[in-house]
Amino acid sequence: MTSSPVSRVVYNGKRNSGPRSPPTSSEIFTPAHEENVRFIYEAWQGVERDLRSQMSGSERGLVEEYVEKVPNPSLKTFKPIDLSDLKRRSTQDAKKS
């Protein structure tokens, strides 16, 4: 039995702190939550920017692909899901009830 290696995009970005944005909904988030969300968002934007730059050939080595040498056997049956589709279906189900 053979299995393909698992690959991930790895980015070693720097953490930036900026001013908090005011809440836009009825939910109130803690400053720590807002900082975590902002950090993840900014880091991912950096990954996408660096990947586009790397793909256009202007820079090399900013983003590397991580490939596990020995895949985790407990993830053998893992099936990725489309979170956008899941959210859309959840929203539609809530409207029906």
Side-chain angles (χ1 to χ4, degrees):
M1 174 167 83
T2 63
S3 61
S4 60
V6 176
S7 65
R8 296 183 187 104
V9 174
V10 178
Y11 179 73
N12 295 323
K14 293 187 178 165
R15 193 171 185 165
N16 297 327
S17 61
R20 290 189 329 170
S21 58
T24 57
S25 69
S26 61
E27 295 182 74
I28 304 298
F29 298 110
T30 66
H33 172 84
E34 290 179 1
E35 181 182 358
N36 288 337
V37 170
R38 186 173 42 255
F39 169 70
I40 292 168
Y41 175 80
E42 290 172 357
W44 186 247
Q45 294 302 309
V47 169
E48 289 182 327
R49 181 184 59 250
D50 293 346
L51 188 56
R52 280 192 304 271
S53 180
Q54 189 170 320
M55 290 175 73
S56 70
S58 63
E59 296 185 34
R60 291 221 167 266
L62 296 174
V63 178
E64 3 179 323
E65 184 177 16
Y66 169 78
V67 179
E68 288 184 343
K69 291 178 176 68
V70 180
N72 185 334
S74 65
L75 296 176
K76 187 171 112 180
T77 59
F78 174 76
K79 302 270 191 245
I81 61 170
D82 181 346
L83 293 176
S84 298
D85 183 50
L86 182 65
K87 182 178 180 181
R88 185 176 58 252
R89 282 191 273 154
S90 174
T91 305
Q92 289 171 350
D93 290 344
K95 288 179 182 178
K96 289 179 184 177
S97 22

